[in-house]
Amino acid sequence: TNCGNISNPCKTFTRAIGVFNAIYSQTAVYVPIRVATRGSGEAYTEYIDFQDNLSFYGGYSVADNWASQDVAINATILDSTRRETVFISGITDGLILDGFVVKNNRTIADNSTVISINYSDNVTIQNCDIELNSTGNSIDAYGVMGLQANFTLYKNDFSLGDATTQLIYAKTDTCNIIVNNNTITAPPHAPPIDGIPIVGIQVNGTGTATLSNNYFSLINIKSANAIG
């Protein structure tokens, strides 16, 4: 029996995307997929193959029959010990993630990233809590990293662990990002890593970051070609 409705919701992102592919054409625009909390702090930990024209909305609950989005009560958590918790690549027509708690808890000596956006356009991350909890074993830790991607960060709350070296890092010349109405907080004891201070936003080369109405607390800001 196909899942994907209130009486028979899909249990995984992979299954929900499969149902989308079976029902809608690839030219459908921003088909909404509601995602329910798993409850009791339990997270979705699967690898998700994101694709064009989908919008995922966390903060729902099966218990109240998917009545309304309430991110504060129905925490919908994505978590991983992989190098990237959310890996987005090859998006051209659009993708939205709205209303999730996204974490990375990698503990081995390697890089870690909460959300990685690569070779993509029209990606929006909004109304999310982005938590980088990787321990000091991480070599470099990133909140959101972009590689040849254009994306928008809107009304997210970022919280940083001690290992964080870059909160928002546009790695290549061709990244253009909009950072609007986000709250970014680092712990008071967060030290520099190998003499490098924790950085809020860094954009390399000719990439641009358009900033407006963001709140930074206890963090250094380093931005090239920042507007606003």
Side-chain angles (χ1 to χ4, degrees), residues 3-216:
C3 61
N5 53 62
I6 289 176
S7 60
N8 184 28
C10 299
K11 298 294 193 284
T12 66
F13 281 81
T14 300
R15 187 72 184 94
I17 293 170
V19 170
F20 161 79
N21 287 331
I23 296 175
Y24 297 98
S25 71
Q26 289 293 319
T27 57
V29 178
Y30 293 134
V31 172
I33 296 177
R34 290 178 289 178
V35 184
T37 179
R38 301 191 76 173
S40 304
E42 188 176 352
Y44 294 92
T45 59
E46 67 184 289
Y47 174 80
I48 305 167
D49 185 11
F50 290 102
Q51 64 184 51
D52 272 325
N53 300 311
L54 292 177
S55 52
F56 292 91
Y57 295 90
Y60 287 90
S61 171
V62 174
D64 68 4
N65 204 34
W66 306 80
S68 60
Q69 186 185 45
D70 192 325
V71 177
I73 294 176
N74 303 319
T76 308
I77 303 169
L78 309 179
D79 197 0
S80 179
T81 57
R82 298 185 300 271
R83 295 186 78 178
E84 301 98 359
T85 299
V86 171
F87 181 81
I88 298 168
S89 183
I91 300 297
T92 57
D93 294 328
L95 174 72
I96 297 172
L97 291 183
D98 181 305
F100 292 92
V101 178
V102 193
K103 304 180 179 184
N104 187 280
N105 286 288
R106 192 167 180 81
T107 58
I108 65 173
D110 197 359
N111 297 338
S112 60
T113 303
V114 182
I115 300 175
S116 180
I117 306 171
N118 301 274
Y119 305 100
S120 294
D121 201 2
N122 299 315
V123 174
T124 298
I125 311 296
Q126 62 189 28
N127 300 315
C128 291
D129 289 343
I130 298 172
E131 302 178 7
L132 189 49
N133 301 316
S134 304
T135 69
N137 291 326
S138 291
I139 298 171
D140 289 305
Y142 305 94
V144 176
M145 178 187 287
L147 176 64
Q148 294 188 23
N150 299 316
F151 56 93
T152 297
L153 304 173
Y154 177 66
K155 293 185 71 174
N156 300 291
D157 288 332
F158 291 83
S159 59
L160 313 180
D162 287 348
T164 308
T165 55
Q166 306 282 351
L167 176 63
I168 301 168
Y169 180 35
K171 189 174 182 181
T172 58
D173 288 355
T174 52
C175 278
N176 298 289
I177 61 176
I178 298 172
V179 186
N180 185 17
N181 281 282
N182 299 277
T183 299
I184 299 166
T185 305
H189 57 282
I193 309 290
D194 294 331
I196 303 173
I198 295 173
V199 175
I201 301 172
Q202 181 169 334
V203 182
N204 283 352
T206 58
T208 64
T210 302
L211 314 177
S212 62
N213 300 317
N214 298 288
Y215 176 76
F216 296 86

